[in-house]
Amino acid sequence: MYPTQELSATAERWITYPSPAPAARTKLLCLPYAGGGASLYRSWPALLPGVEVAAVQMPGHESRLGEPSHDRIEPLVDALATAAAPHLDKPYAIFGHSLGARVGFELARELRRRCLPGPVMLFASACRAPHVPRMPHPPVHAMSDPALLRMLRQMQTVPPEVLDDPDLASVLLPVMRADLNIVNSYEYTDEPALPCPIRVFGGTGDPEVREDDLYGWQAHTTSSFAVRMLPGGHLMIRQRAREITQTVGQAMAGIGC
């Protein structure tokens, strides 16, 4: 068991509030893509009135740059579930983009195993269904920095302006190695479907995730399911935040949150 003070400090490192709204009736727990951080969701509180946005900051990312990054999903989800538990104080949904969607899915299952409150809805963006096989990326731990940079450009999963800046790239590459190893090493295990609705977003020009890969998410809910395609590539979340949050807000209101 964690001492109460230590647990509180751990939770504060993991869960950040861009604009705290304690009076909001619902909460949205947001997880970023590989290499990204909580700042991705800085603008979302203004786009989601009545919803408190809680953004996950993973070790090794942004404000936690000095901490070792996780490179496997199991210890990452275990630590995140412990940190998130004190924040499940009102009805909440989970939103994750790309790697964040996979982590969010496994987080929902881990919270269920711990008999903690589950999400009222799961939003998965730019991520194929967990059971759908994918071609793994080359072993990134053995890649040179130039080779990894070339691969990231081809994947279109990192903003080009970051890869073009040598200082930013040098900070990002170790984080991306760890995050991509989470993707490569992920092994789906079968469990009962989640009881909450699932809503999925995809980019019409995403070279990494095809529209057909998104419909597999329906197998992971016993409730309602829908897919919405938006213009853009794998990082369409950066340009389509308004459309995405509009759908998120309507969906959460629609289930009586």
Side-chain angles (χ1 to χ4, degrees):
M1 295 291 291
Y2 292 91
T4 301
Q5 187 173 7
E6 181 180 343
L7 181 58
S8 175
T10 299
E12 288 176 6
R13 289 199 305 271
W14 280 90
I15 311 295
T16 68
Y17 291 87
S19 182
R25 294 184 297 113
T26 59
K27 182 177 294 188
L28 184 66
L29 191 64
C30 300
L31 297 109
Y33 49 73
S39 65
L40 176 64
Y41 300 103
R42 186 178 297 147
S43 67
W44 281 36
L47 300 172
L48 284 166
V51 177
E52 186 171 38
V53 174
V56 172
Q57 191 76 288
M58 296 192 293
H61 297 65
E62 294 186 343
S63 62
R64 303 183 69 184
L65 192 60
E67 302 177 43
S69 299
H70 286 281
D71 61 3
R72 305 278 298 187
I73 199 166
E74 295 86 0
L76 169 60
V77 169
D78 181 68
L80 176 54
T82 298
H87 295 265
L88 310 181
D89 55 343
K90 62 181 70 172
Y92 73 95
I94 294 175
F95 179 97
H97 186 84
S98 192
L99 172 62
R102 187 61 44 81
V103 174
F105 170 72
E106 291 296 342
L107 173 63
R109 302 209 297 178
E110 176 62 21
L111 293 172
R112 179 172 61 181
R113 288 191 287 269
R114 298 187 185 193
C115 299
L116 291 171
V120 296
M121 185 166 285
L122 174 65
F123 298 96
S125 179
C127 182
R128 58 176 44 83
H131 66 282
V132 175
R134 61 159 296 148
M135 291 296 293
H137 299 300
V140 292
H141 65 275
M143 271 190 177
S144 67
D145 285 354
L148 181 55
L149 281 170
R150 286 194 297 272
M151 187 183 82
L152 293 175
R153 291 186 193 279
Q154 293 170 354
M155 292 169 57
Q156 300 178 24
T157 55
V158 177
E161 60 270 22
V162 175
L163 300 178
D164 291 339
D165 185 313
D167 292 333
L168 290 177
S170 67
V171 171
L172 177 69
L173 287 181
V175 178
M176 287 301 300
R177 288 184 193 276
D179 286 356
L180 290 178
N181 197 66
I182 294 175
V183 176
N184 277 350
S185 62
Y186 177 78
E187 294 183 4
Y188 171 76
T189 56
D190 196 29
E191 290 185 19
L194 295 170
C196 64
I198 294 180
R199 298 291 181 267
V200 180
F201 299 93
T204 55
D206 189 344
E208 284 286 300
V209 183
R210 301 175 305 171
E211 183 175 356
D212 289 349
D213 296 329
L214 301 175
Y215 282 91
W217 280 97
Q218 187 167 11
H220 298 287
T221 176
T222 58
S223 186
S224 63
F225 171 80
V227 173
R228 182 179 181 188
M229 301 300 296
L230 295 167
H234 193 69
L235 294 184
M236 53 83 182
I237 188 176
R238 293 168 62 86
Q239 294 80 38
R240 302 293 171 184
R242 187 169 298 276
E243 293 99 317
I244 291 172
T245 51
Q246 183 181 37
T247 298
V248 167
Q250 289 173 348
M252 292 179 70
I255 58 174
C257 297

